[in-house]
Amino acid sequence: MTAPKLGRSTIAIHGHAEPLKEHDPVVFPIMQSSTFVNAVGSEREVLYSRYGNNPNQVAVARKYALLEGAEDAVFVASGMGATALAHLAVLRPGDHLVASRWIYGGTQRLFDEEFGRLGIAVTYVDAMNPRTWRKAVRKTTRAIFVETPVNPTIRVLDLAPIAGIAKEFGIALLVDSTFSSPINFRPLEHGADIVITSATKYLNGHSDVIAGAIAGTRSVIEEVIRLMRVWGQSIDPHAAWLIERGMKTLAVRMQRHNANGLAVARFLEKHPGVSAVSYPGLESHPDHEVAVRTLDGFGGMIGATLKGGTAAAERCLKRLRLFVHAPSLAGVESLVSEPRLTSHKGQAKEQLAAAGIAEGFIRLSCGIEDAEDLIADLEHALAR
Ligand SMILES: Cc1ncc(COP(=O)(O)O)c(C=O)c1O
């Protein structure tokens, strides 16, 4: 008898759902141990937490692979670690990477400051124009990287044409889908080869862990694990346990993030102090059609440009009480930040403008509080 296909909420709670025996703990315990006993003379796999085969590391990776619909997955010590290792798994010195111009500032720094040193060339292309992607492909191109939904402007890319180009040229498509979580969007279903996520965000969801994850085919994940072992990037067992616990509520958290995101975006759209709102669930969003077609939810992230520029943004941020002014996002508590001073710090005005970050732009991460309270908080902060 084949096992029933489980829903995402069930998977997020039970993972592989192996039957429990009498006196088994219901909650998978933390194995806070760096090392594990070996039988003398045994040729069997050696367990060591830097190798990523501590039972907590294995359990969280299995659950995440199931949620993404991937053959395999691995967690590492940060989202940036995941981005770095995923790329190093498919690129060698002399190779070329085509990357979307709309990416997280940290990822851009990795490409600009480190990849050149490793002999990997990067060409940035207009995320919304697949013709420029095709033109950018060279003989040495081995991978395409995109981020969707985009941090911090919440634009949504249609992966299908980009995946088509990757397939045509036989190159890997890597997608950072941190802003959606596998509940709202699963890039592998849309032609991606490798998914990268900052598990610091929605997967863990409680703003108390830094971690990243990569999902894809077994052979890609084996290569990532090989690199993780030699570059020393494994996740701590306690962090793995916390994420595994956080993931149990991922599906219900996302439902609430989606509902609160839409309610807050609709409020901001009508507010006279706000000149632009970017939320894929709004009919006014430039990618609304793509978002409706490809996402299962629009998430809790909103980009908003306040009338009055930087001064208005600072005034609002100082008056907010529930939206905490802090970098990071996607936790149960609402957070807000100014990307020009956080994710895109140090970028010139023109670069910020090209990334869609106008003066007075703030990025809101709607948590799972009561929507009315979040709206009241913003109403107070934006009042003249
Ligand atoms: C889209 C995206 N990718 C990757 C990262 C890096 O994640 P971490 O801070 O866990 O290294 C971030 C962090 O904000 C992000 O927003």
Side-chain angles (χ1 to χ4, degrees), residues 78-80 104 107 147 151 176 178-179 198 200-201 210-211 329:
S78 70
M80 283 306 299
Y104 167 60
T107 308
E147 182 181 299
N151 180 4
D176 179 338
T178 296
F179 272 35
S198 166
T200 310
K201 313 292 167 18
I210 296 283
L329 51 110

Side-chain angles (χ1 to χ4, degrees), residues 262-286:
L262 187 60
V264 170
R266 288 217 189 282
F267 162 78
L268 289 173
E269 198 179 35
K270 289 201 199 90
H271 197 283
V274 179
S275 59
V277 180
S278 180
Y279 184 74
L282 294 179
E283 295 72 14
S284 59
H285 190 279

Side-chain angles (χ1 to χ4, degrees), residues 172-349:
L173 175 59
L174 293 85
V175 178
D176 179 338
S177 60
T178 296
F179 272 35
S180 66
S181 92
I183 301 300
N184 281 353
F185 183 60
R186 292 161 301 283
L188 300 181
E189 291 176 2
H190 299 264
D193 299 293
I194 299 174
V195 189
I196 299 163
T197 194
S198 166
T200 310
K201 313 292 167 18
Y202 281 127
L203 283 196
N204 178 58
H206 293 75
S207 305
D208 51 12
V209 166
I210 296 283
I214 304 146
T217 60
R218 188 138 301 132
S219 62
V220 163
I221 299 304
E222 269 171 15
E223 178 60 4
V224 173
I225 290 173
R226 188 188 72 75
L227 292 166
M228 177 191 75
R229 291 179 178 189
V230 293
W231 289 91
Q233 294 221 31
S234 66
I235 186 173
D236 180 78
H238 185 225
W241 183 85
L242 279 172
I243 297 168
E244 210 253 327
R245 183 172 79 160
M247 279 165 70
K248 292 182 188 192
T249 55
L250 180 63
V252 286
R253 278 191 283 111
M254 288 316 298
Q255 275 175 11
R256 182 69 163 233
H257 285 297
N258 294 341
N260 282 0
L262 187 60
V264 170
R266 288 217 189 282
F267 162 78
L268 289 173
E269 198 179 35
K270 289 201 199 90
H271 197 283
V274 179
S275 59
V277 180
S278 180
Y279 184 74
L282 294 179
E283 295 72 14
S284 59
H285 190 279
D287 313 316
H288 182 62
E289 179 275 320
V290 176
V292 168
R293 183 159 45 83
T294 59
L295 305 183
D296 291 337
F298 305 118
M301 306 301 306
I302 303 172
T305 307
L306 306 192
K307 285 183 190 160
T310 306
E314 280 182 5
R315 180 176 178 278
C316 169
L317 294 176
K318 282 186 187 150
R319 289 166 64 100
L320 283 167
R321 295 184 188 130
L322 289 177
F323 279 92
V324 176
H325 183 232
S328 201
L329 51 110
V332 292
E333 58 290 289
S334 293
L335 298 178
V336 62
S337 70
E338 264 185 295
R340 71 180 179 95
L341 296 175
T342 53
S343 61
H344 291 65
K345 190 173 178 163
Q347 295 197 359
K349 246 188 180 170

